[in-house]
Amino acid sequence: MKIKFIALFLCTFAVTNLVKGQGHSKGFEPSENKHEFRLSVSDGFTQSTVGVLGLGLSDAITGSKRTDEKASVVYGLGYRYSLNRFRVGADLGFFQMNSKLTLAGEKSPSLKEKELTFLFLPTAEFVYFKRHLVELYGSASAGFDLKRHSETGLTELGKKTAKKTNLNADFAYQVNPIALRVGNEHIGGFVEAGLGHKGFLTAGVSLKF
C-alpha cells in the first residue's frame, strides 16, 4: 500500500515541475520534436515473483503441485508528448505466465493454466539533463492491469475442477527514477531502472518526430 502512495506522489511531483521546468537552463537542450514512440521489453521480475509466491502459498494449503512454470518478459509500447523538460504520455504492456497443476492425489498434471496480463500506465517524465546525444530523465506511472486467467483440464478430475475464464483489474504502477537515452533527435536507445509492474529494468528503442 505504501508503494502505491509513493507512485502517486511521484506522479503529482512530476506535474508540479511542469511550471518550473518550462524555461531553458544549463544542461538542457530543448528539442523541436514533440512526439515520441517507444518499443521496449522489461524483465517482468516483479510480476513473475508475485505470481509464483501467491500460487506457492495456495499449493501448500491444498496439497497440489505446480510444474512447468514459464513467464515471458513484459513487451511494451509507449508514447510521449514533450513540453520542454516535461513529458506526458502512456505505456501499454503485455505479459504472460503458463504452468501445469497436479492436484492432490494425482500423479500427472491435472490442469494447464494460462494468465495474460495487460498494462495501461499513464506516465509523467521529467528530464534532468539533455545535451547532444545524451539524455537523463526519471518517470512515474500509475494506472491499472487487466489479468485474464484460464484453465484447461488434462485429466478427468482436472476437467471437473477447472475454473471458468475470468478477468480481474487492479491498480498498477511503475517508478523509474533513473533513465538514460542515447541517440539523436530522431532515433535512439534507452534504459530505465526502477520498481513496479514492469519490473526492475526496461530497455528499448525510441523514435522522435
Side-chain angles (χ1 to χ4, degrees):
M1 183 62 69
K2 291 183 179 180
I3 295 178
K4 295 180 181 180
F5 283 117
I6 292 173
L8 290 173
F9 171 76
L10 289 176
C11 286
T12 304
F13 177 77
V15 172
T16 60
N17 277 288
L18 173 59
V19 177
K20 297 180 181 179
Q22 290 302 305
H24 299 171
S25 61
K26 186 177 180 180
F28 178 73
E29 297 176 348
S31 172
E32 295 182 358
N33 297 325
K34 300 297 184 182
H35 305 280
E36 180 181 357
F37 284 96
R38 299 177 182 178
L39 294 174
S40 66
V41 291
S42 307
D43 57 64
F45 185 74
T46 50
Q47 289 274 3
S48 58
T49 300
V50 172
V52 169
L53 290 176
L55 295 174
L57 179 60
S58 174
D59 294 346
I61 296 174
T62 61
S64 57
K65 181 181 179 181
R66 190 167 270 99
T67 57
D68 298 332
E69 297 170 329
K70 297 178 181 179
S72 72
V73 296
V74 178
Y75 298 97
L77 173 65
Y79 170 77
R80 301 290 185 275
Y81 182 78
S82 177
L83 297 167
N84 284 341
R85 284 185 180 272
F86 187 72
R87 290 192 292 245
V88 294
D91 287 328
L92 301 177
F94 171 79
F95 174 82
Q96 178 176 311
M97 285 185 65
N98 296 293
S99 62
K100 291 182 180 179
L101 181 66
T102 302
L103 298 174
E106 295 211 317
K107 297 181 179 180
S108 61
S110 313
L111 295 165
K112 182 178 180 181
E113 300 174 308
K114 183 177 182 180
E115 186 168 274
L116 304 178
T117 300
F118 300 91
L119 294 170
F120 176 69
L121 297 170
T123 303
E125 292 182 350
F126 187 77
V127 181
Y128 309 130
F129 176 89
K130 183 179 184 298
R131 178 167 292 182
H132 304 308
L133 299 179
V134 179
E135 181 179 291
L136 298 175
Y137 63 94
S139 66
S141 307
F144 66 88
D145 66 17
L146 184 63
K147 295 183 184 295
R148 180 182 184 272
H149 183 87
S150 60
E151 298 180 353
T152 302
L154 302 177
T155 64
E156 289 301 319
L157 178 59
K159 293 177 181 178
K160 294 179 181 179
T161 309
K163 299 177 182 178
K164 294 182 179 180
T165 300
N166 62 77
L167 293 173
N168 292 301
D170 198 5
F171 175 82
Y173 71 93
Q174 183 72 33
V175 180
N176 295 322
I178 303 173
L180 169 68
R181 181 187 186 275
V182 178
N184 57 32
E185 289 303 306
H186 298 288
I187 186 170
F190 66 91
V191 178
E192 301 175 343
L195 175 67
H197 282 62
K198 291 195 294 184
F200 298 112
L201 192 65
T202 297
V205 177
S206 163
L207 302 174
K208 293 183 177 182
F209 62 94

